[in-house]
Amino acid sequence: MKRWFIVGWGALMVWTHVLTSPVLAADTANGAKLFEVHCVGCHVNGGNIIRRNKTLKLKTLERNKVNTIDAIATLVANGKANMSAYKDRLTQPEIEDVSAYVLEQANKGWR
């Protein structure tokens, strides 16, 4: 998606565009904070204390086809089985932030 911004320096105005994607638009530092408040109780270090085979590890996310920010965000928003829905507790940007953080950590091996 292209977004256009006006950047101004005194009397000089310049039009510029920025290519954005969900990964670039998300604030993973905020996602980390949200994860600590809302998710870490069940998902310490990307694990799962309720259902051991439903971790946030990359192999598990890939196996369950939840290995994109959009797929993770859908799961966070709507919940599934034992996982609660967070669409009434978090804003859409917050859901995107925490989803980007989860995918980032999964790609890093939760280190």
Side-chain angles (χ1 to χ4, degrees):
M1 168 189 324
K2 286 187 180 181
R3 295 189 185 181
W4 292 90
F5 297 94
I6 298 175
V7 180
W9 294 278
L12 178 64
M13 299 295 279
V14 178
W15 280 93
T16 186
H17 74 276
V18 177
L19 292 175
T20 60
S21 70
V23 174
L24 297 176
D27 179 352
T28 55
N30 186 48
K33 292 175 189 173
L34 292 165
F35 188 87
E36 286 296 317
V37 171
H38 297 281
C39 312
V40 79
C42 293
H43 294 289
V44 174
N45 296 322
N48 188 328
I49 66 167
I50 307 295
R51 297 186 69 191
R52 294 176 64 190
N53 63 336
K54 298 288 186 175
T55 70
L56 302 177
K57 309 289 181 165
L58 189 58
K59 283 185 178 183
T60 305
L61 294 176
E62 289 171 344
R63 181 181 68 236
N64 294 320
K65 297 178 178 43
V66 190
N67 58 330
T68 66
I69 292 175
D70 288 339
I72 295 167
T74 298
L75 186 59
V76 171
N78 300 314
K80 186 175 181 181
N82 293 42
M83 184 172 156
S84 300
Y86 284 84
K87 64 184 170 194
D88 293 334
R89 294 178 239 181
L90 299 175
T91 65
Q92 187 59 37
E94 289 173 329
I95 290 171
E96 291 171 10
D97 290 351
V98 77
S99 300
Y101 171 75
V102 166
L103 189 56
E104 176 183 82
Q105 288 304 111
N107 283 316
K108 292 180 179 178
W110 286 91
R111 293 185 198 115

